[in-house]
Amino acid sequence: MNVNRLRVLFSHALRASLATPLLITGCDGRPTVTVEPTPKPEPVDLSQHSDVACVNSFPALTGLTVDPPPDVLQMRTIKRRYPPSSPPEADLQTSEGVPCATATNPQACLDQLDALAVTRGFPRICGYSIECYESLLVTTRGDEVTTYTTADSVRALLGRIDTPEEAALLVYASGYALCGHPAYELGKIRALPDGTFSVVSIQDYDCETNVYETRHDLKVTPSGVVTEEGTFPLKEGTPDCVVGRRPVGLQDARAGGCEDARGGYFANAARLEAAAIHAFLRLRDELALHGASSELQDAALASAADEVRHTEVTLRLAHRFGATPVPPAVTALPLRPLDEVLLDNAVEGCVRETYGALVVHHQALHARDPEIREAMVRIAEDETRHAGLSWDIANWAAPRLSTEEQAHLREARRQAVAVLRAEVAIPLDARLTADAGLPSVAEGLAMLDSLEQELWA
């Protein structure tokens, strides 16, 4: 992606967040934009909602009106552990019907079902352990064995959404926890008189060791459109998550012994800037492995060099405010297949790093502390180039991907935005916000809205 386009998008996002004409170096000036504050939604009343029907901690496969009906409908999971196993483990979780009941050659159909090699599923759900799960549906009709690994494919399978079970299954396929996974509470659902369904998902997110609980109020239309009506933090952790590119294998750790929120923030920033060095060096090697151009490889290497300077700057700021950063511990893992590299790039680069670059521009404009403001001015352009590299990688890979693979990356990006939105909704320390120039909750959400409309849609 042309970096100048990112600068323009960032300028629009900053205007939308503050309702004042703001400029970023290299962008053309634009007229003032007046933005009316968006009314804050209220949580839906759950007094008439029921628990989502679940079997074995997954949405029930009964109560569906699939036409034509399959011989069997199965829920399977792909379990991912770190270090990754190859191939990932696949497990049958629930099943309705008789596999291959109408097949002309039942044994051949069963053999095909047993030999399914599926490497991806719905947006992954991770618990407190190191295990993550991606789910998928499998059907057999006659001799045909079909897998459904995206929300779009599940929507096509279900057709019109007529029952609570169908609405819940579609919401689950869209990346929302509903059924008592160890990290989450049971979801709620209600059929409304207009034919839509109200669905509530409550789940935990983990920004580093920063676990907090968030409620998502959703609406599902009969045509299968899932809309998030509101997001409400329920249980807050320490609200100083730092966005950026985190390497696979990064181990949990946080700086301690500093009561100053500014010190804690920059200590965590220094740790993640240092971790990003590992991320870009690995990215360079993985790009080389998969045949990317020398320009992309060189850009990844240059980004690693940028992160060395950023680490030095944030270390100095952390020490100034009385904090001692903890160096990052990154487990050495094998280079990954292209699909895992692109999934990581979609989440860590196209979403988290892109928003992180925008936040640094906000800090460069609004940090009250002169040293912080000067540091962010220098870092902002580097981070914009890093975000541009993420989109360049996505564009390079796009012609190599199937329609299903592209849909999977869009789902992962959408889920990453939802996680980021929950993180941004947690208020920061007032002194940290003012001195470091970090956006308020309202400003951060407005910035996210702008990027979602102009970039992530």
Side-chain angles (χ1 to χ4, degrees), residues 397-410:
R400 300 175 172 220
L401 303 178
S402 67
T403 301
E404 181 183 8
E405 288 169 330
Q406 292 176 6
H408 178 70
L409 290 179
R410 285 195 300 271

Side-chain angles (χ1 to χ4, degrees), residues 361-434:
H361 277 289
H362 189 281
Q363 292 179 271
L365 287 165
H366 296 287
R368 184 172 62 186
D369 184 287
E371 185 180 2
I372 296 175
R373 186 171 62 251
E374 182 181 350
M376 295 305 112
V377 168
R378 294 197 302 269
I379 291 174
E381 281 301 304
D382 292 343
E383 294 296 346
T384 304
R385 289 197 308 275
H386 300 177
L389 172 60
S390 301
W391 290 96
D392 288 341
I393 292 170
N395 292 335
W396 160 74
R400 300 175 172 220
L401 303 178
S402 67
T403 301
E404 181 183 8
E405 288 169 330
Q406 292 176 6
H408 178 70
L409 290 179
R410 285 195 300 271
E411 289 276 0
R413 200 167 63 212
R414 185 204 61 77
Q415 180 68 0
V417 173
V419 171
L420 188 55
R421 187 174 294 278
E423 293 174 6
V424 171
I426 298 177
L428 296 172
D429 177 90
R431 189 175 183 185
L432 171 63
T433 301

Side-chain angles (χ1 to χ4, degrees), residues 25-26 154 182 225 291 295 313 319 333:
T25 303
V154 172
V225 176
E295 288 80 8
V313 171
H319 290 147
L333 300 174

Side-chain angles (χ1 to χ4, degrees), residues 226-251:
V226 178
T227 304
E228 191 166 282
E229 303 278 271
T231 302
F232 310 97
L234 300 179
K235 181 179 68 180
E236 299 181 356
T238 304
D240 62 347
C241 294
V242 180
V243 293
R245 185 179 284 268
R246 300 168 297 186
V248 61
L250 178 64
Q251 298 177 19

Side-chain angles (χ1 to χ4, degrees), residues 72-136:
V72 73
L73 177 62
Q74 297 179 342
M75 176 76 73
R76 297 192 175 202
T77 58
I78 303 167
K79 184 183 297 183
R80 300 190 186 276
R81 292 189 177 95
Y82 295 95
S85 59
S86 182
E89 300 176 21
D91 298 306
L92 175 64
Q93 299 297 339
T94 62
S95 184
E96 290 292 330
V98 180
C100 304
T102 63
T104 57
N105 186 337
Q107 188 56 54
C109 175
L110 289 171
D111 290 344
Q112 184 182 355
L113 189 61
D114 291 339
L116 279 178
V118 183
T119 59
R120 60 170 53 91
F122 309 141
R124 69 182 56 183
I125 295 175
C126 299
Y128 295 121
S129 69
I130 58 172
E131 294 183 344
C132 296
Y133 297 85
E134 295 176 20
S135 303
L136 63 144

